[in-house]
Amino acid sequence: MHLPSRWYIGRPALLFGGEVGDGLTAYLAEHVAHKERRPEQVRVELLARCRMESIEPPTPGRCDRIVAAALRAAEESLTALISSRLTAESVERIWLWRPAPPKTTTDSQAAARRVRTRRRCWRRSRKRRAT
């Protein structure tokens, strides 16, 4: 019988796979990321959870991706929770706070602005344009 190369406290270590990573992301999003928004602290909690569950810790790049996914999931669930509590009246008031859309310029206005800018630059450098 061939035994796994790593053993923790008398039982085999779980190799770090996709479903374990998804479970850790869900755990972090639900229990940690709502209270702690700093990625460094969420990473510490991720490694502590891996030790508690006897899971081989992920690589540093994978840790960063799991932490980022957990923070994003927590932010999305918090946003959904807040937006579900808004009344129709408050949504209308929020839409009234929007800034006005920027004015669009025509091509001729943009070209005139470029010419004025060139003239100013020529005057500053005292160069004459050859015609």
Side-chain angles (χ1 to χ4, degrees):
M1 175 180 188
H2 180 357
L3 297 176
S5 59
R6 293 188 179 200
W7 283 81
Y8 293 94
I9 314 172
R11 58 185 178 177
L14 298 173
L15 296 178
F16 194 78
E19 56 277 341
V20 175
D22 294 342
L24 287 172
T25 301
Y27 169 79
L28 290 173
E30 186 177 341
H31 297 286
V32 177
H34 279 293
K35 299 172 190 164
E36 182 61 59
R37 297 295 302 164
R38 291 179 295 176
E40 302 84 26
Q41 289 301 114
V42 177
R43 182 185 174 101
V44 168
E45 291 294 326
L46 167 66
L47 296 175
R49 183 71 177 186
C50 287
R51 278 190 301 275
M52 188 178 80
E53 291 187 5
S54 299
I55 298 173
E56 183 177 337
T59 62
R62 179 80 169 131
C63 276
D64 293 342
R65 289 191 298 272
I66 290 172
V67 167
L71 289 172
R72 186 173 41 256
E75 185 176 326
E76 288 174 359
S77 68
L78 184 62
T79 303
L81 176 69
I82 291 170
S83 64
S84 70
R85 293 181 179 178
L86 293 176
T87 63
E89 179 184 319
S90 61
V91 171
E92 288 176 14
R93 288 195 327 235
I94 290 171
W95 277 105
L96 291 176
W97 287 349
R98 277 186 317 178
K103 293 181 180 178
T104 57
T105 59
T106 62
D107 289 336
S108 61
Q109 290 172 335
R113 193 173 302 128
R114 281 193 300 269
V115 168
R116 283 193 303 266
T117 304
R118 283 188 205 140
R119 286 183 187 152
R120 271 187 253 134
C121 293
W122 288 330
R123 274 188 238 138
R124 285 185 203 141
S125 63
R126 298 180 184 213
K127 290 183 179 177
R128 303 262 182 213
R129 183 176 177 190
T131 54

